[in-house]
DNA sequence: GACATCACG
DNA sequence: GACGTACGTGATGTCC
């Protein structure tokens, strides 16, 4: 292949990222008028491109040009050194959505636009510059980045567009004190705090240049380091040789980046006015559009003042009308829908099933919607109604496409990476489809969008959202299914009724999506949605479908043992009471204790009944034998009914495993919630309860692996509130509760008693919960004044806590929400309420950023985990707030611990740089009791 | 279906 | 000055 590039050619390489960041910081945060899309950086970028084109139109005009961008955050340099660029700030929330637009802008100007996954722009620039130079051409790199200065030389120069200044060999020498060919040597020694290149400690650019000029190059210098007179310098160079050599690799540009294009592809082209105008008009840049139109001698398109027609925005109020819903009964009728979906690139999907348990429920029908108001329902396994079929309803109803045929037609669409599938609670539908061999991707989820934007404001179910944002009450399901004993499953619903109901759900989902989508960036939660909510769907889907093995025999044995013990206790209790009564009835127990036996401390709750909670019975236990027996009975009753009995019913007959369902939007703080069954509250605190975990087992040849964050909430508190003493204690690996106790009670660590430590521990937790004297007093069973004294002392010793609490509450009062370190917003609707509500809201506001940040951290870890353990015989099974449980082949335990721990401990990177390191403890065993 | 109770982090 | 108080969840049994 011969190239046309050669002598006489002049290549311009523009550092796109530099343009973007300069544009972003130079301009105020402009937004597009019609939908609020942040657009400031794009505007600045276009201005700079325009100016560049203008300035380079003369006789010196380049023959070839390209704008080069960075792509992805992980490059080969991260593999060399995992801390490379680790202290880089996360991209600002309002800049993110502008990144793809800058690429579009470049193309609109008809300038080549290049980027390559895994490489920095600088490497591509280096590769192209070398190719062009070697071909005999001339190169100008439009950038002032010092990292590019190593490329300057014969035929290659840089141009600082900001200062309007050329940078040649002399310019490089001025900056580094050496010529371009030795720049990397100087950089390797001097390091770079911005990119986190370590270099040689204590040596800056000046010293580095001095040394390099004296010894010729870095390698000679390092080989002859012994000769250096200054002892400190000599020692550094001898001891840090490896680090310096690594630094050189980090700063050295890759001049052989594998490119999928050639210099000839970069030949300068005239702008195509139509495309350029269309882009500028779409961005709604009025002045710039006009100016460029004038220059090109074309007419500027009119930019409407009225909100522009945007793809993700309802065009007008289209009424809900069931007569526009089509019942699709055969392949022929389905085809037009598939065509529309492919044309649009998105579709709202909803499934109807025989039940709410995704691991058991059968698929009954599928509804689709591509534009508001028109939707279809594809019935698949509806049963003939009783009137049609006197012999029961086992026969399939007439007029339905065979399930396999429908799935075969839909599968390519549902799995097409270029078609977005929109759902309300997509995890449910994805799990159903997965059981029928369809892997739905990519997805958007209106429930998760609502949660990201309105967490804490209201629920995120479809009915709530439809009423609130579409002003429409969906058809209720109750009349179709009935309730109680006579309730039927969806497959028994007549197809006509089902069509009206099901198609409407898809219609609502699409409308909600159009409503929410453009708002995500307006309220700055795009990153939260895209990194903490949506990616969790496939991860949780896999965990839930995999399930955890639970041994029925173990549970059954325990149930029997509990039943026996309970019977004995019950008899004793009745004896002590002098009558038989229902021990499980708090009301009856209260009367026995406080009326019949006249024990002290009888307090009536708001319903007029005595309270008989564990703490009250605990106090009463010193007075009488009965309360202790009841406490014991209650513990057994709880363990039996909630765990050993109920868990058995949740063992899936097909898989022999228990499949919980995680709710992503269940907790206001960002935590997950586990239901059906709840596997996040399996007993552990008492010895008897803990034994239930012995029933959670690994398959033969495997073990369970538990990795949990150590004190994650206190670490986050130390970071957020900026408590130096706490940070230091974590850095030193101290026992944090003992250290707190030592600080507060002036007890040296080596004289610490368990009781003092216990009190400090209660205070540490109290702080996370928004401490009060009353609460602490009750928890520690000490006088309220004493508890208040502890708290005062705590605030005195750790003054940042008070400030954090006050600042958080006032932020909540002003904004109506609080935020986690990762930008999750938790709305605090009651914060300005009067009365007792206010106290609750305050404490919740104080707790939310801490609990929520911890929740974000483990979410990030979970999202990254599948890739990290993909090559290992390991599966992630459960999440319990600060713990992840894995099942792994015995021979891969250590590798899995290492991989999973790396992910968990580094989960906050690079978005948030924590002042306190995250620490993960690991345990393994044949069952969960041993592993934890 | 509300309430009380208790399991977890 | 009084009020009511630790934060976040889900499942179970009683009782109306």
């Amino acid at each position: 292949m011969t190239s046309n590039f050669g002598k006489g050619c002049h290549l311009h390489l523009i550092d796109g990222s530099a343009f973007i960041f300069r544009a972003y910081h130079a301009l105020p945060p402009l937004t597009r008028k019609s939908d609020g899309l942040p657009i400031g950086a794009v505007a600045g970028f276009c201005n700079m491109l325009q100016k560049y084109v203008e300035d380079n139109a003369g006789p010196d005009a380049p023959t070839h040009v390209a704008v080069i961008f960075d792509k992805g955050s992980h490059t080969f340099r991260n593999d060399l050194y995992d801390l490379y660029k680790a202290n880089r700030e996360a991209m600002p929330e309002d800049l993110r959505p502008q990144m793809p637009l800058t690429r579009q802008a470049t193309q609109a100007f008809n300038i080549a636009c290049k980027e390559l996954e895994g490489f920095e722009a600088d490497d591509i620039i280096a590769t192209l510059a070398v190719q062009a130079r070697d071909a005999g051409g001339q190169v100008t790199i439009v950038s002032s980045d010092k990292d590019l200065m190593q490329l300057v030389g014969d035929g290659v120069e840089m141009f600082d567009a900001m200062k309007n200044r050329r940078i040649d060999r002399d310019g490089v020498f001025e900056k580094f004190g050496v010529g371009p060919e030795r720049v990397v040597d100087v950089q390797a020694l001097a390091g770079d705090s911005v990119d986190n290149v370590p270099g040689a400690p204590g040596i800056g650019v000046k010293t580095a240049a001095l040394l390099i000029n004296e010894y010729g190059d870095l390698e000679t210098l390092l080989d002859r380091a012994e000769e250096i007179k200054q002892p400190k310098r000599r020692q550094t160079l001898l001891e840090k040789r490896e680090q310096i050599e690594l630094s050189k690799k980090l700063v050295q540009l890759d001049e052989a980046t594998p490119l999928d294009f050639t210099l000839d592809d970069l030949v300068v082209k005239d702008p195509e006015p139509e495309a350029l105008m269309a882009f500028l008009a779409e961005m709604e840049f009025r002045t710039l559009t006009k100016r460029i139109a004038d220059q090109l001698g074309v007419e500027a398109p009119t930019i409407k003042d009225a909100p522009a027609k945007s793809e993700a925005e309802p065009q007008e109020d289209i009424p809900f009308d069931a007569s526009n819903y089509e019942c699709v009964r055969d392949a022929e009728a389905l085809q037009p829908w598939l065509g529309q979906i492919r044309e649009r690139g998105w579709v709202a999907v909803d499934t109807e099933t025989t039940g709410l348990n995704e691991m058991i429920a059968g698929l009954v029908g599928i509804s689709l919607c591509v534009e508001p108001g028109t939707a279809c329902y594809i019935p698949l396994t509806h049963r003939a109604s009783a009137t049609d079929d006197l012999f029961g309803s086992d026969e399939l109803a007439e007029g339905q496409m065979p399930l396999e045929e429908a799935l075969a037609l839909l599968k390519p669409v549902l799995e097409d990476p270029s078609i977005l599938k929109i759902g309300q609670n997509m995890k449910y539908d994805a799990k159903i489809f997965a059981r029928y061999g369809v892997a739905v991707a990519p997805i958007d989820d209106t429930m998760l969008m609502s949660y990201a934007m309105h967490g804490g404001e209201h629920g995120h179910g479809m009915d709530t959202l439809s009423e609130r944002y579409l002003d429409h009450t969906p058809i209720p399901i109750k009349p179709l299914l009935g309730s109680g004993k006579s309730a039927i499953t969806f497959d028994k619903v007549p197809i006509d009724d089902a069509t009206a109901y099901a198609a409407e759900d898809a219609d609502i989902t699409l409308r909600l999506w159009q409503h929410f989508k453009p708002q995500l960036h307006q309220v700055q939660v795009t990153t939260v949605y895209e990194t903490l909510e949506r990616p969790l769907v496939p991860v949780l889907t896999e965990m839930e479908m995999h399930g955890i093995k639970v041994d029925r025999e173990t549970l059954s044995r325990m149930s029997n043992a509990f039943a026996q013990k309970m019977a004995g206790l019950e008899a004793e209790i009745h004896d002590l009471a002098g009558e038989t009564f229902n021990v499980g009835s708090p009301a009856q127990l209260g009367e026995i204790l406080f009326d019949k036996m006249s024990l002290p401390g009888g307090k009536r709750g708001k319903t007029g009944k005595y309270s008989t909670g564990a703490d009250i019975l605990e106090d009463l236990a010193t007075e009488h034998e009965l309360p202790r027996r009841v406490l014991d009975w209650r513990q057994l009753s709880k363990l039996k009914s909630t765990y050993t009995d109920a868990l058995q019913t949740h063992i899936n007959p097909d898989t022999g495993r228990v499949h919980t369902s995680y709710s992503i939007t269940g907790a206001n703080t960002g935590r997950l919630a586990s239901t059906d069954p709840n596997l996040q509250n399996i007993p552990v605190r008492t010895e008897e309860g803990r034994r239930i975990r012995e029933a959670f087992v690994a398959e033969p040849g495997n073990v369970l692996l538990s990795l949990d964050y150590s004190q994650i909430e206190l670490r986050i508190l130390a970071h957020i509130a900026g408590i130096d003493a706490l940070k230091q204690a974590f850095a030193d690996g101290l026992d944090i509760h003992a250290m707190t106790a030592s600080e507060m009670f002036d007890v040296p660590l080596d004289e610490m008693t368990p009781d003092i430590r216990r009190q400090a521990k209660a205070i540490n937790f109290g702080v996370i919960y928004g401490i009060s004297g009353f609460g602490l007093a009750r928890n520690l069973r000490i006088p309220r004044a004493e508890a208040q004294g502890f708290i005062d002392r705590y605030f005195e010793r750790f003054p940042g806590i008070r400030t954090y609490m006050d600042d958080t509450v006032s932020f909540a009062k002003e904004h109506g929400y609080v935020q986690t370190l990762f930008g999750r917003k938790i709305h605090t609707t009651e914060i300005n309420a009067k009365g007792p509500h206010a106290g609750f809201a305050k404490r919740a506001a104080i707790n939310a950023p801490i609990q929520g940040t911890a929740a974000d951290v483990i979410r990030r870890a979970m999202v990254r985990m599948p890739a990290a353990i993909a090559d290992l015989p390991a599966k992630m099974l459960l999440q319990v707030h600060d713990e992840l449980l894995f099942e792994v082949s015995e021979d891969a335990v250590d590798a899995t611990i290492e991989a999973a721990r790396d992910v968990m401990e580094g989960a906050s990177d690079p978005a948030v740089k924590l002042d306190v390191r995250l620490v993960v403890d690991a345990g393994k065993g044949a069952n969960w009791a041993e592993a934890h």
Side-chain angles (χ1 to χ4, degrees), chain A residues 265-280:
Chain A
D265 297 324
L266 310 183
V267 72
V268 169
K269 289 173 279 187
D270 285 332
E272 286 170 14
E274 207 169 297
L276 183 52
M277 286 299 118
F279 176 79
L280 296 171

Side-chain angles (χ1 to χ4, degrees), chain A residues 733-809:
Chain A
L734 296 183
D735 172 339
I736 205 66
H737 301 309
M739 172 275 184
T740 308
S742 169
E743 272 291 315
M744 286 188 55
F745 302 115
D746 290 322
V747 179
L749 278 177
D750 49 13
E751 290 172 27
M752 189 55 55
T753 69
D755 196 58
I756 299 177
R757 183 182 180 279
R758 184 183 59 85
Q759 300 209 3
K761 183 176 176 179
I763 299 167
N764 273 333
F765 278 106
V767 165
I768 292 172
Y769 299 151
I771 200 160
S772 76
F774 183 94
L776 184 64
R778 201 179 59 172
N779 191 285
L780 286 176
R781 297 166 184 271
I782 58 176
R784 187 168 170 178
E786 197 182 331
Q788 192 55 54
F790 287 176
I791 294 170
D792 293 345
R793 183 122 178 107
Y794 191 97
F795 286 156
E796 207 178 286
R797 289 294 162 107
F798 306 107
I801 303 269
R802 175 93 266 171
T803 322
Y804 164 74
M805 292 171 76
D806 293 345
D807 290 354
T808 305
V809 170

